[in-house]
């Protein structure tokens, strides 16, 4: 809600309250001030003038010499370059000595041989608009010689407050004035207008078919208005300061009353209505051409204002073009109604139309206001446009008009909720100043809020009102001692902050990517998964819920690659979405992406590109640092996005925790990648189950003996298989088996490879002697020879 | 004769000590004169041949020479040692200004860093962390939180929907409901997470992060809430801030407040809060005559922007390495 400060001050005048204090008060009342702008910057000595004569400049094609009446004895001669300078228009004139906002000081000056006694100003030169559009043309009734600032009431501020959805009553000058009056504990200065005595008895029938949608409909006929009148400048300016364009005097007046009192109204051209005004739900497929020229096909739930022939307006939202007032209109049917907020909201949602009117009706308009606003608008129309008003007609349903509740306010609840007490007399004072009726009872009060405060329904609402006027600044602070450990903390889970830290320590940067991806990415990375798509995505690129973190990471990688990053490590922890037997699953995953060299550019080590084992090492470190059992890596059941020869499923306890591997060459082609890209993804919940409880294990005090041996085995024998065989060799002294070299090539035949392992023998009871270790080694090698196809390397 | 020998020997030895250029050479000199078969040792043996009355004096002289030589050798040894060390130091000097040999360290996303910071403070204040689903139903996102269908407050939330009517949660307040449905008060929880609104411009992204606090107990009042928030914000920003509470509106709290901190001339909104609305408590079956509560909701992205001086929200989700790398 934007409004003129001067207008507000007409309603609640506190001369000592500066603009700054006023805006502070509004903010602290919950009417947050978003902006407070001067209507016009400072300038002096600008008067209203009239161009009496405009002739071609003798020495310049583009200049005119104007004779201007600024209310002084003599006409002023002013040279002007604006194309719209012409005789007969009223303009702002800066006289010699004037200072304009851009710092220009106006002096008498010779312009190509003609002396100019001032300047005719454009709106831009006066700082009123940003774009230049010739000199400013004023209304023909602008008084010549009047100070231009006085004429347009430019010594004013435009204050913009954001009104929360519960405070529909503050979408008007009156509503905001009430708040200011309450906090300053003074009264309102309401404009005086008396109910009008009807000048004729002509009425127009009103039929309300749906009282539930429209509990109160008031209207009146006004005839013989003067269609040639212009909206007065003061009203235009106030509308403008509220962001409302001046359209037609009648429309301007209804808008003015809406801004002033909060009652949206509509004026129909009476001559375009047939038989009666009918408030009803729309018929199926009924058409309505709106004010803005758009045609809508009406939904049967929609409330319309119709006559006997057709719909004329979307009730409470927007009028129709057929019966709108225009330059020929001389008879009006003026509408002022109370609509059910839900009915209006339905229309807003169905047609996507947000108007000043619907905004107010949706939030709720004072149900007691319709006739008052009708009288106010009539008064303005008659005083500005003439005309004869008929009697007020009103159809009301007491059944559906909301009745303010009677709310019990218990004195002890105030302290319980707020933590401090407010004295009784202050409670009474605060609530009364907000227009509430109080009745003292034993426990406290019975409070009835005014009809415009439909947001006040329960005791807490009243307590909020009290503390609002008490001032949030004055609420004391009280510290508490508190603890709570609840059942959700009993289940063990991995420390995800630590997981993040481990990944960061290993060189990965944490990314946060959108949870929705494009359908295309889904097809590329998870075509086997059902798509979960948004009904109203922001764009097609963000339409499908991710079932994996990989699309986001790969997209992020591409983004960075396009910005000359050739070494990328990224990880993300986030929820992924999938469906299993129609059940929605929301699983948290941790995923990583790596490509490029093992080290960033550096001087000391031989650099190389990363490979599968680097990324596998990162995962193993992650498990180890988080205190999880070490998983195994099995090249089975791989997702199709991974390279089948360079990928593994991460398995623990028979369960697949996730995958690691190189991106499939297929997808590399699709994404136009040349360098291999490594990915991993793990299910966080499954990792939780993998947490191991550390128990101290005594270690041997006796020295260990290491023996190295190189085995020639079949090339396709995996380390996992070999390790499993070795594990079958039970021996109390063999404590560790470490792999330290793999060799393929001459002189070993091409279907074989050499695997070098280090065996450590150690006893917990004694120092092992040479002979014992030798015997152990022999047993071990004999065992291996029996179980696998192998020879010793020389 | 012996005396002359003694003087020559002393002169020779002193010369040799002086010219010894290494510790090894010096040791040779020591062995030559003072070793088991050294010249001075030999002279000691000669004492036996001297007349008995001269022996004590001779012995004394030889011992003196021995002591002089020992001192000279020790002195020279120290000199040689220190010059050896000095030489070694010169030879082994490296350019320590070269970069250290280290792996590149990654980073935590600034939003994560801010969350960690906030959670640490809130954990000290007794809050437990709990999380909830991101795809939610209408009940938990709206109705249970006192936002019935057709309520204008729904306009504050541009919601992403799925065809079955489920939605992406528009706030983390959904988790309040899920916790209160399963746990009896007292409750003191925080819940961080992603939230979604169908809105995208330079100050809005369709996904962002919130951190919600909830406390339900027998003695919960606005004065406690105010103290808690002031303490939290001062701790979080590591300075004593000017903090302003002003009335606002949330359907699920009453009274409600927005909290601003002062930066320069103006005020910046950092969070919203209030006393839990009785309708919300009733919806989850908590007796409002016994219990009351307060709730706080903050935007983590906004907090991260303030904390790190980031000027564009969209940077958070572009994940440009030049951005991420700054938050080591």
């Amino acid at each position: 809600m934007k409004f003129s400060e001067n207008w507000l001050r007409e309603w609640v005048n506190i001369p000592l309250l500066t603009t700054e204090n006023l805006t502070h008060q509004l903010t602290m009342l919950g009417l947050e001030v978003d902006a407070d702008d001067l209507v016009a910057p400072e300038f002096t000595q600008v008067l209203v003038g009239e161009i009496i004569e405009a002739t071609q400049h003798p020495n310049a094609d583009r200049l005119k010499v104007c004779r201007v009446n600024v209310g002084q004895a003599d006409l002023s001669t002013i040279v002007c370059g604006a194309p719209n300078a012409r005789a007969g228009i009223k303009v702002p004139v800066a006289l010699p000595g004037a200072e304009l906002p851009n710092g220009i000081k106006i002096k008498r000056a010779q312009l190509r041989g003609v002396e100019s006694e001032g300047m005719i100003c454009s709106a831009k030169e006066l700082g009123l608009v940003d774009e230049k559009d010739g000199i400013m043309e004023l209304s023909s009734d602008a008084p010549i010689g009047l100070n231009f600032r006085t004429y347009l009431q430019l010594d004013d501020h435009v204050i913009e407050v954001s009104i929360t959805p519960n405070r529909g009553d503050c979408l008007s000058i009156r509503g905001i004035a009430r708040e200011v009056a309450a906090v300053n504990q003074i009264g309102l200065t309401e404009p005086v207008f008396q109910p009008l005595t009807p000048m004729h008895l002509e009425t127009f029938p009103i039929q309300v078919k749906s009282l539930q949608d429209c509990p109160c409909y008031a209207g009146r006929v006004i005839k013989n208005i003067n269609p040639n009148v212009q909206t007065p400048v003061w009203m235009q300016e106030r509308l403008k300061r509220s962001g409302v364009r001046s359209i037609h005097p009648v429309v301007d007046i209804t808008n003015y009353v809406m801004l002033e009192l909060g009652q949206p109204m509509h004026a129909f051209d009476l001559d375009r209505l047939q038989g009666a005004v009918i408030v009803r739900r729309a018929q199926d497929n009924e058409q309505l051409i709106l004010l803005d020229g758009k045609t809508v096909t009406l939904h049967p739930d929609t409330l319309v204002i119709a006559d006997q022939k057709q719909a004329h307006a979307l009730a409470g939202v927007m009028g129709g073009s057929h019966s709108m007032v225009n330059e020929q209109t001389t008879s009006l049917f003026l509408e002022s109604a109370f609509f059910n907020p839900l009915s209006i909201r339905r229309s807003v949602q169905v047609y996507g139309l947000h108007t000043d009117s619907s905004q107010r009706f949706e939030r709720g308009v004072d149900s007691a206001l319709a006739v008052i606003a009708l009288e106010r608008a009539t008064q303005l129309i008659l005083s500005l446009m003439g005309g004869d008003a008929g009697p007020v007609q009103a159809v009301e349903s007491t059944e559906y008009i909301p009745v303010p509740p009677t709310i019990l306010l218990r004195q002890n609840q105030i302290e319980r909720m707020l933590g401090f007490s407010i004295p009784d007399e202050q409670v009474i004072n605060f609530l009364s100043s907000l227009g509430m009726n109080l009745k003292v009872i034993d426990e406290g009060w019975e409070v009835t809020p005014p009809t415009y405060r439909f947001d006040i329904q329960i005791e807490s609402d009243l307590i909020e009102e009290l503390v609002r006027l008490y001032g949030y600044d004055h609420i004391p602070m009280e510290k508490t001692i508190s603890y709570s450990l609840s059942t959700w903390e009993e289940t063990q889970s991995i420390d995800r902050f630590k997981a993040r830290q481990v990944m960061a320590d290993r060189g990965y940067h944490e990314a946060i990517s959108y949870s929705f991806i494009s359908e295309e990415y889904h097809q590329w990375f998870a075509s086997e998964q059902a798509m979960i798509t948004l009904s109203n995505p922001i764009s097609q690129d963000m339409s499908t819920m991710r079932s994996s973190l990989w699309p986001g990471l790969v997209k992020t990688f591409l983004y960075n690659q396009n910005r000359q990053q050739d070494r990328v490590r990224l990880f993300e922890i986030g929820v992924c979405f999938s469906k299993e037997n129609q059940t929605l699953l929301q699983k948290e995953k941790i995923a990583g992406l790596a490509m490029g060299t093992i080290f960033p550019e550096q001087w000391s080590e031989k650099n190389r590109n990363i490979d599968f084992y680097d990324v596998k090492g990162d995962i193993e470190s992650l498990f180890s640092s988080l205190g999880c059992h070490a998983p195994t890596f099995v090249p089975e059941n791989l997702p199709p996005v991974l390279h089948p020869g360079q990928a593994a499923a991460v398995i623990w306890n028979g369960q697949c925790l996730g995958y690691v591997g190189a991106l499939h060459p297929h997808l590399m082609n699709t994404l136009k990648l040349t360098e291999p890209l490594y990915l991993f993804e793990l299910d966080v919940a499954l990792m939780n189950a993998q947490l191991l409880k550390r128990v101290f294990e005594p270690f041997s005090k006796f020295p260990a003996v290491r023996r190295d041996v190189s085995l020639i085995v079949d090339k396709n024998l995996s380390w996992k298989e070999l390790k499993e065989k070795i594990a079958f060799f039970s021996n109390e002294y063999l404590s560790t088996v470490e792999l330290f070299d793999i060799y393929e090539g001459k002189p070993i035949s091409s279907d074989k490879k050499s695997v070098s392992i280090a065996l450590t023998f150690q006893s917990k009871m004694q120092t092992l002697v040479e002979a014992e270790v030798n015997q152990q080694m022999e047993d071990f090698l004999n065992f291996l020879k029996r179980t696998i196809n192998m020879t010793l390397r020389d | 004769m012996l005396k002359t020998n003694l003087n020559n020997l002393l002169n020779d030895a002193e010369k040799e000590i002086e010219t010894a250029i290494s510790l090894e050479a010096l040791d040779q000199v020591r062995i030559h004169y003072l070793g088991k078969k050294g010249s001075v040792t030999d002279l000691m043996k000669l004492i036996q041949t001297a007349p008995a009355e001269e022996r004590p004096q001779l012995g004394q002289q030889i011992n003196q020479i021995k002591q002089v030589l020992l001192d000279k050798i020790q002195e020279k040894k120290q000199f040689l040692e220190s010059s050896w060390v000095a030489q070694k130091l010169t030879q082994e000097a490296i350019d320590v200004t070269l970069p250290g040999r280290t792996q590149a360290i990654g980073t935590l996303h600034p939003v994560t860093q801010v969350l960690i910071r906030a959670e640490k403070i809130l954990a000290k204040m007794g809050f437990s962390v709990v999380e909830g689903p991101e795809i939610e139903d209408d009940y938990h996102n709206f109705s249970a939180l006192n936002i019935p269908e057709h309520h204008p407050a729904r306009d504050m939330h541009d919601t992403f929907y799925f065809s079955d009517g489920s939605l992406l949660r528009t706030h983390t307040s959904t988790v309040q409901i899920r916790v209160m449905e399963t746990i009896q008060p007292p409750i003191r929880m925080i819940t961080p997470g992603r939230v979604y609104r169908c809105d995208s411009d330079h100050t809005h992204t369709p996904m962002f992060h919130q951190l919600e606090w909830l406390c339900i107990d027998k003695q919960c009042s606005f004065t406690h809430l105010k103290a808690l928030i002031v303490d939290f914000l001062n701790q979080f920003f590591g300075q004593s801030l000017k903090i302003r509470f002003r009335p606002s509106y949330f359907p699920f709290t009453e009274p409600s407040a927005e909290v601003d901190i002062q930066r320069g001339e103006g005020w910046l909104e950092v969070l919203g809060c209030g006393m839990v609305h009785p309708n919300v408590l009733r919806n989850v079956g908590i007796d409002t005559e016994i219990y009351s509560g307060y709730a706080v909701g903050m935007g983590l992205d906004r907090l991260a922007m303030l904390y790190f001086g980031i000027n564009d929200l969209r940077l958070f989700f572009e994940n440009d390495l030049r951005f991420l790398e700054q938050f080591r």
Side-chain angles (χ1 to χ4, degrees), chain B residues 28-42:
Chain B
Q28 287 304 314
V29 177
R30 184 186 59 81
I31 292 165
H32 179 73
Y33 289 96
L34 301 173
K36 271 183 187 164
K37 292 175 183 167
S39 316
V40 178
T41 319
D42 286 348

Side-chain angles (χ1 to χ4, degrees), chain A residues 39 55 103 141 143 169 220 246 279 309 384 580 594 609 626 642 696 709 729 774-775:
Chain A
V39 168
T55 52
D141 61 2
D169 64 301
R220 91 177 339 154
S246 171
V279 185
K309 245 180 94 185
L384 299 174
E580 226 165 73
N609 279 329
L626 293 176
L642 296 182
F696 170 70
V709 62
F729 175 71
N774 289 345
Q775 184 59 51

Side-chain angles (χ1 to χ4, degrees), chain A residues 226-344:
Chain A
N226 177 1
N228 301 317
V229 171
Q230 279 195 340
T231 305
V233 170
W234 62 265
M235 185 180 279
Q236 283 192 33
E237 281 298 312
R238 284 186 173 177
L239 292 174
K240 194 167 118 191
R241 285 165 209 184
S242 285
V244 176
R245 211 159 38 92
S246 171
I247 297 165
H248 178 284
V250 171
V251 178
D252 290 352
I253 288 167
T254 55
N255 281 335
Y256 184 84
V257 173
M258 175 185 74
L259 291 169
E260 183 184 56
L261 303 179
Q263 171 71 54
M265 300 176 74
H266 188 65
F268 298 90
D269 186 332
L270 184 63
D271 298 334
R272 309 299 291 263
L273 297 180
Q274 303 261 333
V277 165
I278 304 168
V279 185
R280 60 165 168 85
R281 298 263 179 119
Q283 287 144 14
D284 235 347
N285 290 323
E286 200 175 353
Q287 305 262 318
L288 172 61
I289 305 170
L290 295 170
L291 281 175
D292 60 8
K294 288 194 188 108
T295 304
V296 287
T297 306
L298 298 170
H299 191 270
D301 269 354
T302 304
L303 190 68
V304 296
I305 311 299
D307 62 9
Q308 287 175 339
K309 245 180 94 185
Q310 66 183 97
H312 281 279
L314 270 182
V317 181
M318 195 185 271
S321 69
H322 183 75
S323 56
M324 70 182 186
V325 292
N326 58 39
E327 298 77 35
Q328 277 82 48
T329 303
T330 55
S331 300
L332 304 172
F333 181 79
L334 202 55
E335 163 199 297
S336 183
F338 174 72
F339 296 114
N340 183 333
L342 288 184
S343 307
I344 304 307

Side-chain angles (χ1 to χ4, degrees), chain A residues 143-278:
Chain A
I144 291 168
L146 184 64
N147 186 312
F148 181 71
R149 292 190 78 91
T150 312
Y151 170 61
L152 285 187
Q153 297 187 21
L154 293 180
D155 293 316
D156 190 7
H157 286 243
V158 172
I159 296 174
E160 184 165 7
V161 291
S162 82
I163 305 292
T164 53
N166 58 325
R167 294 306 303 271
D169 64 301
C170 286
L171 288 168
S172 65
I173 295 290
R174 176 157 84 161
I176 292 170
R178 279 182 189 130
E179 292 280 300
V180 175
V183 78
N184 292 293
Q185 299 283 303
I186 61 158
L188 275 188
T189 322
E190 302 211 28
V192 182
F193 53 92
Q194 300 295 326
L196 204 90
T197 315
M199 297 152 174
H200 59 79
L201 291 176
E202 188 177 333
T203 56
F204 196 71
I206 300 170
Q207 298 167 22
V208 180
K209 302 271 189 194
S210 176
L211 283 167
Q212 197 176 347
D213 291 320
C214 178
C216 172
Y217 193 97
R220 91 177 339 154
V221 170
I222 301 177
K223 307 197 81 167
N224 303 323
I225 58 164
N226 177 1
N228 301 317
V229 171
Q230 279 195 340
T231 305
V233 170
W234 62 265
M235 185 180 279
Q236 283 192 33
E237 281 298 312
R238 284 186 173 177
L239 292 174
K240 194 167 118 191
R241 285 165 209 184
S242 285
V244 176
R245 211 159 38 92
S246 171
I247 297 165
H248 178 284
V250 171
V251 178
D252 290 352
I253 288 167
T254 55
N255 281 335
Y256 184 84
V257 173
M258 175 185 74
L259 291 169
E260 183 184 56
L261 303 179
Q263 171 71 54
M265 300 176 74
H266 188 65
F268 298 90
D269 186 332
L270 184 63
D271 298 334
R272 309 299 291 263
L273 297 180
Q274 303 261 333
V277 165
I278 304 168

Side-chain angles (χ1 to χ4, degrees), chain A residues 437-454:
Chain A
N437 273 316
L438 283 87
K439 187 179 146 201
V440 180
I441 54 165
D442 285 350
E443 295 163 271
W445 302 270
E446 271 176 8
V447 183
T448 312
T451 49
Y452 48 86
R453 289 302 303 272
F454 26 71

